[in-house]
Amino acid sequence: MQTYKVSIRETSNNAIIKFEVNQFITNHQSFEFENIDDAKSSPLAQQLFYLPFVKKVYISGHFIAVERFNIVEWTDVQDEVAEQIEAYLNDGGIVITSSEPPGKKVPVTIYAESTPNPSVMKFVANKKIVNALFEFTSIDEAQHSPLATELFHFPFVKSVFIEENYVSVTKYDMADWQDITMELREFIKNFIADGKEVIKAKAVEAMQHNNAQSEQKFEALDDTSKAIVNILEEYVKPAVASDGGNIQFISYDAVQKNVSVLLQGACSGCPSSTYTLKSGIENMLKQMMPGKVETVEAING
């Protein structure tokens, strides 16, 4: 069984602290509780309300937000609260009971956003739906994602890319977005609103194992390769993610001064992104690492 880890995150409201969990604790649903009686469906929230300074508890897919009364400062108690939540979860404590909770559900909102790739549409949620990125190019690959599996039942779906708060769908040319966007948006919205599993727990555990292996591989890289990876992570990935895609470092050839990267999601197969990204990354790496990088090879996932 995977161990729960809780981290503390400040918010724009100094009376509210978020306690983020390293895995999902509800089925992509959100609940708000005003007091201990209101929290009958959440044993975790009830435990928190026993703390005299707790005013309100908000539970979402991967975090618990707590609003305090002004009788204490968060800096004095936040560590103890984080430890209490972590211990509760690791002891098998129930977050939300299976019965319909009386707490206020936060509705799921999904909007469609076009990408530079005319074959890809990005469907963005108002909440986090996964903790890592996943790409599926066939229904066989999607066996660990109920959402992706269902999407592949649409005859016009070619591939599915899922990251923190969005789903990128690549279509076959047989269909036009104006005819299918609404259908896909409503399907994804209802799937998440119904609390269905987007990614199975086994897939998440496997991804976390892969991430641990990736960290080990990173540590084994030479200093130039590490610098390239850090540049991609800081300057390139955020821009690529905003377009519904992802970029991964593959290798660095010190002799040829060549960098190979993998394009995924909306970037994969985009008529313009391969050239644009290749040129953009090349120029960036040449400027930031003079004499060490000359060319970048972009490979479609």
Side-chain angles (χ1 to χ4, degrees):
M1 180 180 295
Q2 184 184 352
T3 302
Y4 289 94
K5 296 290 184 182
V6 176
S7 56
I8 300 168
R9 294 286 182 271
E10 294 182 354
T11 71
S12 57
N13 185 338
N14 62 14
I16 299 174
I17 283 286
K18 285 174 65 176
F19 298 93
E20 293 189 351
V21 187
N22 64 334
Q23 55 185 300
F24 284 95
I25 54 176
T26 73
N27 288 328
H28 310 289
Q29 295 171 307
S30 300
F31 310 96
E32 186 178 329
F33 303 103
E34 303 280 351
N35 52 57
I36 195 168
D37 292 328
D38 189 34
K40 290 179 180 178
S41 65
S42 175
L44 171 57
Q46 286 190 317
Q47 288 291 321
L48 291 171
F49 276 117
Y50 283 123
L51 299 172
F53 54 83
V54 171
K55 180 179 181 180
K56 185 181 295 185
V57 177
Y58 179 92
I59 300 178
S60 189
H62 70 293
F63 68 85
I64 301 100
V66 180
E67 183 176 356
R68 63 172 173 80
F69 288 106
N70 291 329
I71 59 175
V72 298
E73 295 295 331
W74 272 122
T75 52
D76 298 327
V77 297
Q78 61 188 26
D79 291 336
E80 289 79 2
V81 176
E83 291 173 5
Q84 179 177 328
I85 294 172
E86 191 171 287
Y88 179 89
L89 294 173
N90 285 315
D91 287 341
I94 297 172
V95 178
I96 299 291
T97 59
S98 57
S99 59
E100 186 68 18
K104 301 171 187 175
K105 280 191 181 181
V106 177
V108 178
T109 301
I110 300 288
Y111 70 88
E113 181 180 297
S114 60
T115 74
N117 189 337
S119 295
V120 178
M121 186 69 71
K122 182 179 175 183
F123 297 90
V124 185
N126 65 331
K127 59 180 61 184
K128 193 172 184 177
I129 57 175
V130 294
N131 284 326
L133 62 88
F134 302 87
E135 184 172 34
F136 308 100
T137 58
S138 70
I139 194 169
D140 292 330
E141 288 185 2
Q143 58 181 317
H144 293 306
S145 172
L147 173 58
T149 297
E150 291 294 327
L151 286 171
F152 275 114
H153 288 158
F154 291 96
F156 45 77
V157 171
K158 183 178 181 180
S159 65
V160 178
F161 181 85
I162 305 175
E163 200 171 1
E164 288 195 348
N165 70 325
Y166 69 84
V167 180
S168 287
V169 176
T170 305
K171 69 173 181 66
Y172 287 105
D173 292 338
M174 61 182 281
D176 293 326
W177 282 122
Q178 62 183 8
D179 299 324
I180 62 175
T181 297
M182 184 64 71
E183 182 180 9
L184 285 173
R185 187 184 71 82
E186 287 301 309
F187 174 81
I188 294 171
K189 175 185 174 182
N190 292 333
F191 187 99
I192 297 172
D194 288 342
K196 295 180 180 179
E197 198 173 34
V198 176
I199 299 289
K200 292 181 179 178
K202 287 185 177 180
V204 175
E205 291 174 5
M207 176 60 69
Q208 290 171 338
H209 176 69
N210 291 339
N211 288 341
Q213 290 183 324
S214 296
E215 290 179 5
Q216 293 176 349
K217 290 180 180 179
F218 175 80
E219 292 304 323
L221 294 173
D222 60 86
D223 290 342
T224 301
S225 295
K226 286 182 179 179
I228 292 170
V229 172
N230 289 333
I231 290 171
L232 294 178
E233 291 287 333
E234 183 175 356
Y235 296 101
V236 181
K237 269 198 173 185
V240 172
S242 68
D243 287 333
N246 185 54
I247 185 169
Q248 289 187 353
F249 172 82
I250 298 178
S251 64
Y252 168 67
D253 187 328
V255 176
Q256 300 295 327
K257 298 182 181 179
N258 178 72
V259 178
S260 295
V261 297
L262 176 69
L263 303 180
Q264 296 176 297
C267 298
S268 179
C270 178
S272 61
S273 68
T274 301
Y275 174 78
T276 303
L277 280 171
K278 179 179 182 295
S279 300
I281 296 169
E282 272 187 358
N283 292 334
M284 180 183 296
L285 291 177
K286 283 180 180 179
Q287 291 176 8
M288 300 182 75
M289 305 188 67
K292 293 185 177 181
V293 176
E294 292 297 332
T295 59
V296 172
E297 178 186 13
I299 301 170
N300 288 319

